Amino acid sequence: MKKKNRIIKPLETIEIVRAEKVTKKYGIGTLDAFAAVDNASLTVKRGEFLAVVGSSGSGKSTLMHMIGGVERPTQGKVYICGHDIYSMKDEQLSAYRCREIGMVYQFFNLIPVLNVEENIAFPLIAAGETVDFKKVREIMERLGIGNKGTYYPHQLSGGQQQRVAIARAVIASPSLILADEPTGNLDSGNSREVMDLLESLCKELGKALMVITHDEKIASRADRVIRIEDGRIVSETMKGETVMM
Amino acid sequence: MNNLRNIAQKRLIKAKTESLLIVVSLAFAASVLFSSAALSTGFVKYFLTNAEKMTGNSLAQVLSNAKTNFTQIGDYLYEVFEYVKTGEVEEKDREEYVDGERKEVPWPIPLADNADALFSADASVENLPLTAALISAVALLCVCVAVSLAFDVSKRERRSFYATLLASGATQSQIKKCLLYEAMYYCAAAIPGGAVLSFAELLVVKKAAAKVLGNGFAVAGTAFNVDLGTALCVVPAVSLLTVLLACLFSLSVCRKLSVRTVATDVKRTFSTSIGNRVLTDDARKYKLLGWKYYVAFRNLHNNLDKYIRIIFMTVVYTLILCSSLMIFTAMRNFMMFEKDAVGFHLIAFSYACEIYVCAVAALIALITVISTFNAIYANVISNEGEYALMRSAGSSLKSVAGSVKMEGFICNAIASFISFVCLLFFYVIFSQAYNREERVDFGSPFLFWGGFLGATLLLGVSVIITSAVSARRMKRIDLIGVLKDYIY
């Protein structure tokens, strides 16, 4: 008989994300051992826009992957909507991640053999849910790719591909959108447009947005900015505040 | 698009060159399995029904002798090494065999009498179940290697594809199901093709055996027949085995597959493979070696596991082919003795056994050639970015094609060298030991080394053809497109 995993429902907490003293070490037991993220704690509230800023190799992507349920921390706990995600079984975590977290990557990560509509609907298909293509088209219209439904990723420009990735991230109505350098592969015009869309869409839908970036312009748009250096959180500033180093 | 199975289907259709390579490899692997299993079954069946008639002993006695021979392998090897060391050998009991007269010898080494021929043939027949098990195991091992190589064809692309699915919300178990569906589709296309191919292979083997065995084929030729009962046993068993192997190697894509794979792979490709390599670390090396050699060595190093498998298969088929050729020649010389009916039956069947071993070696050679083609062509596909980079750095098309050829030739040279060393060891130790007291005529050493050259040339020719096909592909490279895709 097929064993079914119990579906974990999210709790109605104010904080969408709560990371408690998370540490990620690589190469444990070797001479090259190092901590990519060291004892980092942070929270993200519902509807908040948080930017994590740091130079290349500072550990910001590792932190995002740990929050996104992709990379298990060596120490510490990550709570998403009140549940410790790393105490879940792998299948439960995948299903939970699919429902509660939408991810946008720098290199888009679109499925090359699926067209735009199918790419956007993919998280629902993977979760075994019925796809409401009307909703898919609405989001596409909202993101300005309404006429690209039958196109394949290689037929789109970088900016259009990132719009598809954003639509895919929000289709399952997750509570949190994680974006790893979403404009890192785009020109300045497209970067601004993509960020405008991402921000306004999250505001409209009431989703929390966490953006990993090294671009100060993008960081300045966020409600709160966390700076990370050598795996440690070194400062936290609210919008309009000056950074005290 | 209702489920993930359709996505697997779409991917197979889109990656048509890679899919075709995998299907062709699987079809050849299945045909080798079908043919060797059918031949082994046929020979063991013939042995079980005719052992008493051939040797004069009861079947139980023959099997018991075979068991004793098997357990005495250690003693035998000790004896061989003792002989090589001291030159002294224990005399075998030969009185029970019928004497005969030798008609002609094509090689000027004085031969032993008919008793020796019968003694050797008897031992070879008694050991047939062991030989069949061994040769089937070697064929199976080579098929496993070939199937693993087939599924390596687009491993990087497949890993990236499935990691993208994972990043988009699919679970690990859904990915595994997708991979299993993929393996099933490949098998559905390959197994019927493999069965038809094996039918053709068996026909060729039978025709070759009839020609080589001459009169002996009337006696031992039945062993090459595959009846309906055998086919009904072999076909489902081999099909199931092929499916299992395909599933096993297809699932290898899942190993350490994570959502991070895509992001980190792409970033690494961009930052180190393209950026740093050209700018810093490797700049000195490629200036020293030149692009052609540098990329060839680098690709060899990056695909070392693939080339090790090809080298292994080449060594195996060269060894089996050459050693069988050597024993085969000895058996042919035995056939020149005048014998009674029992002796003739025994020697004819023993001779047929050698043809069977040669046939399996030839089949392994066939699958090795196909796998070599696959591996080199697959490398060209997956290293398009490297070659595009060579072009962008000013290399001519000839130089790019030369780099592909170089990769194949280095692999060929290593395989030939290892085969040569193994064969030299085999020739010195075993021919000396067998040929003690000049009891067995292994024929001209030129024939033996000719076999080695032939086996090496076979791989060489396959490398040349593959390189030529790959070089043609190079001409079609869209430099900007590939570099864009490579970075993306």
Side-chain angles (χ1 to χ4, degrees):
Chain A
M1 203 173 74
K2 201 176 170 184
K3 210 171 113 183
K4 276 202 167 178
N5 280 316
R6 187 172 60 89
I7 293 170
I8 298 171
K9 288 188 176 163
L11 302 175
E12 284 299 318
T13 51
I14 300 167
E15 290 163 349
I16 293 283
V17 179
R18 185 152 56 88
E20 286 181 356
K21 295 180 178 176
V22 286
T23 298
K24 181 70 190 178
K25 287 181 181 166
Y26 290 106
I28 296 170
T30 65
L31 288 172
D32 303 328
F34 75 101
V37 175
D38 194 5
N39 220 15
S41 297
L42 63 89
T43 55
V44 184
K45 294 189 183 102
R46 279 184 194 277
E48 187 184 18
F49 176 8
L50 172 76
V52 178
V53 186
S55 54
S56 183
S58 59
K60 54 188 192 306
S61 288
T62 308
L63 180 66
M64 189 197 97
H65 284 126
M66 285 195 289
I67 291 170
V70 171
E71 193 141 13
R72 191 174 286 275
T74 316
Q75 278 167 22
K77 287 185 173 175
V78 177
Y79 295 89
I80 304 285
C81 298
H83 290 290
D84 176 3
I85 56 170
Y86 291 106
S87 66
M88 295 177 191
K89 286 178 191 163
D90 187 53
E91 291 293 299
Q92 281 177 330
L93 174 58
S94 296
Y96 195 73
R97 190 164 59 81
C98 202
R99 246 185 2 260
E100 297 305 322
I101 306 166
M103 289 180 107
V104 180
Y105 298 89
Q106 180 183 356
F107 294 101
F108 327 129
N109 290 352
L110 299 179
I111 300 158
V113 297
L114 300 185
N115 64 26
V116 167
E117 275 186 7
E118 291 167 338
N119 258 296
I120 296 172
F122 186 81
L124 300 175
I125 295 161
E129 288 174 23
T130 320
V131 181
D132 179 2
F133 277 100
K134 203 177 149 202
K135 190 182 167 190
V136 172
R137 280 180 208 115
E138 271 172 23
I139 294 177
M140 282 167 59
E141 286 292 340
R142 174 73 184 77
L143 289 167
I145 45 170
N147 58 344
K148 305 283 179 194
T150 53
Y151 283 50
Y152 283 87
H154 68 272
Q155 296 170 313
L156 302 175
S157 68
Q160 287 167 335
Q161 289 191 47
Q162 197 58 299
R163 284 173 170 83
V164 178
I166 292 169
R168 184 180 62 182
V170 298
I171 191 71
S173 297
S175 313
L176 171 71
I177 307 289
L178 287 176
D180 185 5
E181 308 260 14
T183 58
N185 212 21
L186 303 176
D187 58 63
S188 59
N190 264 313
S191 292
R192 204 174 44 249
E193 278 178 32
V194 162
M195 272 318 294
D196 286 345
L197 280 170
L198 192 60
E199 207 182 329
S200 58
L201 200 64
C202 288
K203 284 237 159 73
E204 266 173 41
L205 302 170
K207 313 290 175 202
L209 173 64
M210 183 173 164
V211 175
I212 306 290
T213 184
H214 58 259
D215 187 340
E216 289 296 339
K217 274 187 197 163
I218 292 171
S220 65
R221 302 164 72 128
D223 301 332
R224 192 155 53 99
V225 179
I226 285 177
R227 278 173 207 283
I228 188 163
E229 267 174 33
D230 298 326
R232 288 176 173 272
I233 294 176
V234 289
S235 73
E236 192 177 328
T237 49
M238 299 303 286
K239 196 170 190 171
E241 272 183 16
T242 321
V243 187
M244 300 293 284
M245 299 294 278
Chain B
M1 187 190 61
N2 300 320
N3 49 38
L4 291 173
R5 191 173 60 180
N6 296 2
I7 296 178
Q9 266 175 10
K10 283 187 176 190
R11 202 198 74 78
L12 294 190
I13 295 165
K14 189 159 185 273
K16 49 186 182 299
T17 314
E18 291 88 331
S19 300
L20 191 69
L21 284 176
I22 295 178
V23 168
V24 169
S25 282
L26 266 183
F28 273 97
S31 83
V32 170
L33 272 185
F34 276 125
S35 309
S36 55
L39 281 172
S40 302
T41 317
F43 268 81
V44 172
K45 214 165 140 187
Y46 186 89
F47 163 76
L48 292 175
T49 43
N50 292 293
E52 207 167 331
K53 208 160 68 183
M54 284 187 290
T55 60
N57 294 329
S58 69
L59 183 63
Q61 184 60 46
V62 171
L63 287 174
S64 154
N65 287 349
K67 201 178 155 194
T68 316
N69 287 345
F70 179 63
T71 53
Q72 283 175 349
I73 285 175
D75 295 344
Y76 172 71
L77 282 177
Y78 175 76
E79 197 187 310
V80 166
F81 282 105
E82 276 298 297
Y83 169 74
V84 172
K85 227 164 70 185
T86 62
E88 287 172 10
V89 69
E90 194 187 324
E91 264 302 311
K92 296 279 179 194
D93 180 19
R94 300 187 297 175
E95 279 73 35
E96 58 186 282
Y97 295 99
V98 190
D99 282 342
E101 279 181 21
R102 192 168 168 277
K103 275 181 174 172
E104 59 173 312
V105 185
W107 179 245
I109 294 176
L111 278 178
D113 54 30
N114 194 15
D116 287 312
L118 285 173
F119 184 84
S120 300
D122 196 10
S124 127
V125 167
E126 278 178 352
N127 289 328
L128 179 67
L130 179 68
T131 313
L134 209 67
I135 200 83
S136 303
V138 171
L140 180 63
L141 186 68
C142 288
V143 163
C144 286
V145 174
V147 176
S148 76
L149 277 170
F151 279 96
D152 265 1
V153 164
S154 50
K155 200 165 182 175
R156 196 158 95 181
E157 186 269 328
R158 289 163 83 225
R159 274 184 72 80
S160 168
F161 177 79
Y162 286 108
T164 309
L165 289 191
L166 210 59
S168 309
T171 62
Q172 283 278 2
S173 63
Q174 281 173 323
I175 302 290
K176 278 180 189 162
K177 268 185 204 158
C178 252
L179 284 163
L180 290 177
Y181 278 124
E182 217 186 273
M184 295 293 178
Y185 290 134
Y186 285 136
C187 287
I191 289 174
V196 173
L197 258 173
S198 81
F199 181 71
E201 285 163 4
L202 286 171
L203 264 181
V204 170
V205 169
K206 202 174 168 184
K207 286 216 161 165
K211 207 164 186 182
V212 175
L213 270 172
N215 289 343
F217 192 72
V219 179
T222 328
F224 290 98
N225 286 345
V226 179
D227 53 35
L228 189 66
T230 310
L232 284 177
C233 291
V234 163
V235 171
V238 168
S239 303
L240 189 68
L241 189 63
T242 314
V243 171
L244 283 175
L245 286 176
C247 289
L248 186 74
F249 290 111
S250 178
L251 282 177
S252 67
V253 165
C254 268
R255 275 183 66 217
K256 292 183 184 166
L257 187 71
S258 73
V259 177
R260 284 202 78 171
T261 315
V262 190
T264 46
D265 271 6
V266 174
K267 275 185 185 172
R268 199 182 305 127
T269 304
F270 182 70
S271 62
T272 61
S273 294
I274 294 184
N276 293 352
R277 173 157 23 100
V278 177
L279 296 175
T280 56
D281 292 350
D282 292 350
R284 201 166 47 87
K285 284 184 207 162
Y286 79 71
K287 265 184 190 161
L288 189 75
L289 291 168
W291 268 110
K292 182 175 156 183
Y293 294 96
Y294 172 70
V295 172
F297 279 115
R298 196 173 183 278
N299 287 345
L300 265 171
H301 178 257
N302 287 346
N303 299 293
L304 202 60
D305 59 324
K306 251 187 225 174
Y307 283 112
I308 286 175
R309 279 177 276 173
I310 290 176
I311 290 167
F312 164 78
M313 283 167 76
T314 312
V315 172
V316 165
Y317 88 72
T318 311
L319 271 178
I320 302 179
L321 207 64
C322 290
S323 53
S324 326
L325 210 65
M326 194 167 146
I327 301 167
F328 183 77
T329 317
M331 297 303 297
R332 194 188 59 185
N333 289 334
F334 288 155
M335 291 287 278
M336 290 171 188
F337 289 100
E338 281 178 2
K339 293 165 280 281
D340 59 8
V342 171
F344 186 75
H345 191 169
L346 186 67
I347 290 181
F349 182 62
S350 194
Y351 196 21
C353 288
E354 285 311 319
I355 297 174
Y356 146 62
V357 174
C358 279
V360 176
L363 291 173
I364 294 174
L366 184 73
I367 185 81
T368 308
V369 169
I370 299 291
S371 298
T372 309
F373 181 89
N374 259 4
I376 297 176
Y377 198 72
N379 279 357
V380 172
I381 294 172
S382 60
N383 294 329
E384 266 182 349
E386 299 260 353
Y387 299 124
L389 214 64
M390 275 178 79
R391 296 279 306 277
S392 70
S395 292
S396 64
L397 198 76
K398 203 176 161 190
S399 182
V400 176
S403 181
V404 180
K405 281 181 198 160
M406 193 53 60
E407 215 179 306
F409 278 122
I410 296 169
C411 166
N412 190 13
I414 297 171
S416 302
F417 178 72
I418 298 175
S419 304
F420 180 79
V421 172
C422 292
L423 274 174
L424 199 65
F425 176 80
F426 178 85
Y427 189 77
V428 170
I429 302 291
F430 286 88
S431 74
Q432 286 292 311
Y434 266 113
N435 209 15
R436 62 202 178 194
E437 310 287 301
E438 292 163 342
R439 285 165 65 170
V440 184
D441 175 13
F442 283 112
S444 160
F446 295 116
L447 187 76
F448 177 71
W449 292 111
F452 163 71
L453 273 178
T456 308
L457 270 176
L458 184 67
L459 188 73
V461 168
S462 78
V463 166
I464 291 168
I465 294 171
T466 313
S467 306
V469 174
S470 307
R472 272 178 71 87
R473 192 187 161 95
M474 287 295 117
K475 286 184 185 167
R476 299 197 300 268
I477 282 188
D478 163 21
L479 185 67
I480 304 298
V482 170
L483 278 177
K484 191 181 153 203
D485 282 353
Y486 198 49
I487 294 164
Y488 163 66

